[in-house]
Amino acid sequence: MSQNLKNGSHTEEKKVIFMPSGRREEIEAGTSLLDAARNMGVEIESICGGKLTCGKCMVRIEDGVFQKHGITSSPNNVTPPSEKEQKLLERMGNTDYRLSCQCFVEGDVLAFVPEEARAQKQVIRKAASDKQIEIKAAVRKVYVEVDTAELGEHRGDWGRLQDALAQQWELENLDIDWLVLRRLQSVLRADDWRVTVTIWQDREVIEVQPGYVEGTYGLAVDIGSTTIAGYLCNLRTGEVVATESQMNPQITYGEDLMSRVSFAMTDKDGTDKMHKAVIKALNSIAAKITAQVDLKAKDIQDAVFVGNTTMTHLLLGINPIELGGAPFALATRDAMDVRARELGVRLHQGARIHVLPSEAGHVGGDNVSALISEEPYLQTDEQILMVDIGTNAEITLGNQTIMYSASSPTGPAFEGAQIAYGMRAAPGAIERVRIDPETKVGRFRVIGEERWSTEWQLGDDVPEFERPGQLAAGICGSGIIEVITEMFLAGIILADGKFNPALAEHERVAFDGRSGKYMLATAAESRTGEPIYVTQDDVRAIQLAKAALYAGCKLLMNRAGVAAVDRIVLAGAFGSFIDTKYAMLLGLIPDCELPKVTAAGNAAGDGARFALLNKDKRTEAQRIAEWVTYVETAVDPSFQDEFVGAIAIPHATDPFPHLSDVLATAVQTAPAGGEAGDGGGRRRRRRRK
Amino acid sequence: MSQNLKNGSHTEEKKVIFMPSGRREEIEAGTSLLDAARNMGVEIESICGGKLTCGKCMVRIEDGVFQKHGITSSPNNVTPPSEKEQKLLERMGNTDYRLSCQCFVEGDVLAFVPEEARAQKQVIRKAASDKQIEIKAAVRKVYVEVDTAELGEHRGDWGRLQDALAQQWELENLDIDWLVLRRLQSVLRADDWRVTVTIWQDREVIEVQPGYVEGTYGLAVDIGSTTIAGYLCNLRTGEVVATESQMNPQITYGEDLMSRVSFAMTDKDGTDKMHKAVIKALNSIAAKITAQVDLKAKDIQDAVFVGNTTMTHLLLGINPIELGGAPFALATRDAMDVRARELGVRLHQGARIHVLPSEAGHVGGDNVSALISEEPYLQTDEQILMVDIGTNAEITLGNQTIMYSASSPTGPAFEGAQIAYGMRAAPGAIERVRIDPETKVGRFRVIGEERWSTEWQLGDDVPEFERPGQLAAGICGSGIIEVITEMFLAGIILADGKFNPALAEHERVAFDGRSGKYMLATAAESRTGEPIYVTQDDVRAIQLAKAALYAGCKLLMNRAGVAAVDRIVLAGAFGSFIDTKYAMLLGLIPDCELPKVTAAGNAAGDGARFALLNKDKRTEAQRIAEWVTYVETAVDPSFQDEFVGAIAIPHATDPFPHLSDVLATAVQTAPAGGEAGDGGGRRRRRRRK
């Protein structure tokens, strides 16, 4: 910066254009291209601040006449490279380029800034979307050269470092972590007062290392009730360098949220046990995810954790008891920044964990995270319904005018629990099902085997290598959705969910009193050698779960005063695996134009990653968390009505115009003598206590 | 505050006067006296904020005609007390008073605010001075009533508490310690959403307790190289409720600072060992000092620690190696706020330790602390020399225009070390000495016995109860100063420090070659049954120590361009015990009018206490630490010259006009044949390596 004017005698103005942005301005001769770019709002990356150390601020000075831009540019129109610059560029294999901090304008220049030198790097959001995000991490590294300690000058080493950071990076009013201060003196002297400083939120020095150091990593974690998924990101490039997931060990203390809350209520050390369990899992993830790329957990200098409200309460060691009963009071709705070392999470010793804010007692940071990933609140016209299906479903509806959110207690049926032959999505799980409406015989596909079951070669005479890679072991969530929908479309079950008594004699259907079951896989197709059935209880469980979800959606639509939604986004892992058509056919979600029903993948994880890479996303999350209007399903009288209507497949009364063709083929009503659904007794069990 | 207008129909203005401040203003009828006082800048204490809980905001409504003030006041000119107020006042035994938050102005009022209700309480500085200090602690408690959690309202408990603090106390943008958040929900519900909140620096909630709670305590600690002294203070009243001191256990690793720095250099765990030792001692002090008044260490919610630079480095676990050699670089000159729990100091779990800033490599927070206690920088005219004598002497000189400071390596001789019969100030230590100039026989007083030694009854026939309470066990610092001065005045030693060869035959003087010794206490007067001597080596050690101190003072006087100082303040324990006349007669300090040489007691401890009680003093300390001009004695060429001149008693050339009468009686020069001082060889040993 002190090199703004290399030669004081220059006073003329020269034309400078930066490509690909095309920004142009008249710049005083003698200005460095880096400073010119900064003045013009063109971001060029620089870590060392013009000290010929980082080699990041590359530009290519174009040679030629650029008529479109009205400029004649030449590499000779800037000062020639010094020997040191030349050597650095050669070492980097970039001799076509110059370091913009080292070339001072002497004539008109058209300079191209290559992708890797653009400071505000953009990272592809994800495969399913073409949105991009700026990198603006909360933790960053800067290189500084600090004044040597001299007799008669008493600022202290920290004072000298503060001055260097203020002068070279305009970073002021910084704190320093006490643990960094402890070893500051030896670090400053290790490489002749040249250090790389890691700073959190431009507020606190969390690391000082000798010399020039690159590489800043952060960890985004989605703490689900069932699965904890971590993403290790390079905070400078935005790249996800490793992923790692494992079961949430709290499952030992309760499968679903309510049973964990109960455990915290009944066991006096319950909160502590579950807190320690999740911390242990996070430590394991941090260790494994870094080991994948030859890093250590202590290389993780920033972290963003998201989860539902029970998960974040337990993460922070807060007893979730208040979430177990009205008025469902959160300990805090606000985002929290907690030092990892205080929580016992072993990352870099100065790293903080940013926990995304919640919306209400049952809509947590995972939903906020999905929102900042999908940004439905930026929509001007369309009404967007976003549904994240888990043990609790989080539902949001709206656009930039107003946005509603709700939580609906779907229970774990969609995850394969409470299903007779249910299992998690693992090898052998049936995930796709088609049933012939004539023969009522089903075919299916299992995880780990490409071929449909009807193409399998079975029998003692089939050689080992021609057999399927996996036999059927059970039915996972997406399989359950499909088989029940197909059973409905094939007339095996009726709209009210009961088995069709007309099929009492069918080879694939068996009745035990009034309760039927359908054989999806034969003994030969099954790993255990016993057939795999879908039972009446399974159908009921799914009916209750989908009714809760549908009722939640309807509640928000009623509140927003919209008769139909324009788009539906299915967030979460489950939403990615199910066939959206089946979700709608079964009546999980209200009617919508089918191509406008899309899966967003792990939107909660994506949002956590974005908040990790761009600190503005954290501010946005806090704003959105406070702005969204939460609707309490538990106390809304119309919820029960919507719920009862939604037990039928796809619905007792709501029309599904976009599915009319398909639905026309299904048997719509039970034959005379059939009884109405018996869901009432169970429904009570599913509601919050 | 919502009660500003109890009755909306009032619109007239009434005269309100508060005594003893005499402030008067026209106040709208219907205003509470508490609000009126606040508007008028009269500080009345209130913890509960008008909720009839704390009973702190008492006033007495005067009854009568006050001609001087032109007002007729009556208790009937305010609204009458409610039953609840009446009961609270009765319980407190204060029925003559009203609670100012509860009386609303209806007519003219002259209200007296009693001492205990004045918010800006003043605490007597200390016995030696009549200065006062405002109480404005960094940690305070406020009582709030928080909105109950309700369905359909999703701020979260922390959000509700934040809103209550903002509305009732205008406290905004607060953080909350994670550990407080963990148990916030149950605390809020324990007494129906009424809580007392402890807040650090109006920035962070460090405690929340159910209901109305009083009592906030802080700990000020002076960490000396030898002694650690703690003061437990009530942060609301300013009262010192207990004191506790103990040896600095680092003494095991080195008597003086330089030997501790050496230990840190040579033992790879040296810093850690000394760090842990001081933390252990601080924990012991915190436990014992609170036990004295039936509190626990965890009741200490704020702390200010001061010490010299080596002590504060070791406190923070920073290797002090850089302080051991030029350029004597500090890790930090700035004040630090470190959480006690991070340091392993077991106070309240949210308490922070404020470490006062340093001035330079060898002038630490203890000197800054003495400065903010004595405030010489507020002086407009007089040149004030402040001297804190310890193993290193810290010296400051100046006034509000400019202030210099220096550190001088006096060594431990003044503390009784390096003295043949030296000991610490403990029972049996000789602390006062007078020598008859004719007989050369000394009399003395020991700690633990009121009578001078000449009045003691000794011998086998003296009954036990008439014997002295203590026999002489050794000589402490103040005794050494006196005996050597008296030896000089009695002609036993000469101005150059050598024993007077003319006394070779005297019964109290013995010579071993050219080296003499003086018998101060006889065998009968001594605890060991052996006489107590003052040796030539003792005299030399004291000469070198006092020369270092004097040279430091002179260096600053030369720098400031003053020939004589106007006042001398002796800070530190040692400065309190010595007789100021003897200090000047021996030449520890330059000439000054004797009544203007005063002892300030433990000024470092006082300053720590003031910074604990008034947060503005912390800001002041930081400002002063940066403002004082530090003079490095180690590299100033004139220091050696001043040092050599100051070895003589009181000085080789400097005049002491204020002592001329006394000095006229002393033998000024050695008889012919005496040698010049042999201090050169030793001097080298005392200088910093």
Side-chain angles (χ1 to χ4, degrees), chain A residues 224-416:
Chain A
S225 324
T226 309
T227 308
I228 304 179
Y231 307 85
L232 182 67
C233 299
N234 180 321
L235 296 185
R236 199 173 62 77
T237 64
E239 189 193 354
V240 176
V241 296
T243 62
E244 180 76 37
S245 72
Q246 65 179 67
M247 285 274 274
N248 187 330
Q250 291 171 345
I251 271 182
T252 322
Y253 307 108
E255 275 272 333
D256 58 18
L257 296 181
M258 277 308 124
S259 52
R260 289 185 212 168
V261 172
S262 299
F263 182 67
M265 285 181 193
T266 51
D267 183 314
K268 78 175 170 44
D269 301 321
T271 300
D272 208 41
K273 285 175 186 166
M274 291 187 281
H275 171 63
K276 286 187 178 146
V278 70
I279 298 295
K280 194 174 164 193
L282 290 164
N283 278 326
S284 158
I285 285 179
K288 286 182 185 163
I289 204 169
T290 46
Q292 286 183 33
V293 285
D294 282 334
L295 294 171
K296 301 273 181 203
K298 69 182 165 52
D299 294 316
I300 298 173
Q301 296 190 307
D302 196 17
V304 172
F305 288 6
V306 305
N308 61 51
T309 54
T310 306
M311 290 303 105
T312 51
H313 275 61
L314 290 174
L315 169 69
L316 295 172
I318 302 170
N319 191 324
I321 184 169
E322 293 299 330
L323 302 175
F328 313 111
L330 291 163
T332 175
R333 183 175 60 184
D334 296 355
M336 290 288 290
D337 285 303
V338 186
R339 264 192 212 281
R341 67 176 185 246
E342 290 244 23
L343 272 181
V345 180
R346 291 186 294 274
L347 310 180
H348 183 272
Q349 67 174 12
R352 278 185 178 73
I353 291 168
H354 182 83
V355 184
L356 283 183
S358 304
E359 288 163 44
H362 290 112
V363 183
D366 49 353
N367 188 247
V368 174
S369 188
L371 284 173
I372 63 167
S373 165
E374 295 305 311
E375 301 174 336
Y377 45 81
L378 297 183
Q379 278 295 327
T380 47
D381 323 304
E382 290 193 325
Q383 286 286 346
I384 300 184
L385 179 70
M386 193 166 90
V387 178
D388 192 336
I389 304 165
T391 311
N392 270 263
E394 282 99 39
I395 310 163
T396 59
L397 173 70
N399 52 33
Q400 72 171 20
T401 312
I402 190 161
M403 189 122 222
Y404 296 94
S405 73
S407 168
S408 209
T410 46
F414 290 142
E415 290 169 348

Side-chain angles (χ1 to χ4, degrees), chain A residues 149-160 162 175-179 181-186 189 193 203 271-272 275 313 315-323 326-334 336 338-339 341-344 359-361 630-632 635, chain B residues 149-160 162 175-179 181-186 189 193 203 271-272 275 313 315-323 326-334 336 338-339 341-344 359-361 630-632 635:
Chain A
E150 302 283 357
L151 254 180
E153 186 271 287
H154 312 289
R155 280 175 294 172
D157 282 4
W158 168 226
R160 279 181 280 273
Q162 280 177 288
D175 285 330
I176 185 168
D177 182 7
W178 159 65
L179 293 178
L181 182 69
R182 282 184 78 160
R183 47 192 168 70
L184 178 64
Q185 298 202 287
S186 61
R189 286 157 184 81
W193 300 82
R203 273 156 57 185
T271 300
D272 208 41
H275 171 63
H313 275 61
L315 169 69
L316 295 172
I318 302 170
N319 191 324
I321 184 169
E322 293 299 330
L323 302 175
F328 313 111
L330 291 163
T332 175
R333 183 175 60 184
D334 296 355
M336 290 288 290
V338 186
R339 264 192 212 281
R341 67 176 185 246
E342 290 244 23
L343 272 181
E359 288 163 44
Y630 179 73
V631 178
E632 190 70 66
V635 294
Chain B
E150 302 283 356
L151 255 180
E153 186 270 286
H154 312 288
R155 281 175 293 173
D157 281 3
W158 167 228
R160 278 180 280 272
Q162 280 177 288
D175 284 329
I176 185 167
D177 183 8
W178 160 63
L179 293 178
L181 182 68
R182 282 185 79 161
R183 48 192 168 70
L184 178 64
Q185 298 201 289
S186 62
R189 286 157 184 81
W193 300 82
R203 272 156 56 185
T271 299
D272 208 41
H275 172 63
H313 276 62
L315 169 68
L316 295 172
I318 302 170
N319 191 322
I321 184 170
E322 293 299 329
L323 302 174
F328 313 111
L330 292 163
T332 176
R333 183 175 62 184
D334 295 356
M336 288 289 290
V338 185
R339 266 193 209 280
R341 67 176 186 246
E342 290 243 26
L343 272 181
E359 288 163 44
Y630 178 73
V631 178
E632 190 70 65
V635 294

Side-chain angles (χ1 to χ4, degrees), chain A residues 132-189:
Chain A
Q132 294 186 315
I133 185 177
E134 250 184 29
I135 304 264
K136 199 173 171 186
V139 166
R140 62 165 169 152
K141 282 190 166 62
V142 297
Y143 170 83
V144 284
E145 297 180 355
V146 181
D147 292 345
T148 309
E150 302 283 357
L151 254 180
E153 186 271 287
H154 312 289
R155 280 175 294 172
D157 282 4
W158 168 226
R160 279 181 280 273
L161 179 58
Q162 280 177 288
D163 288 348
L165 288 165
Q167 285 154 18
Q168 295 164 42
W169 292 99
E170 290 174 17
L171 287 162
E172 296 192 346
N173 298 316
L174 294 173
D175 285 330
I176 185 168
D177 182 7
W178 159 65
L179 293 178
V180 177
L181 182 69
R182 282 184 78 160
R183 47 192 168 70
L184 178 64
Q185 298 202 287
S186 61
V187 171
L188 281 172
R189 286 157 184 81

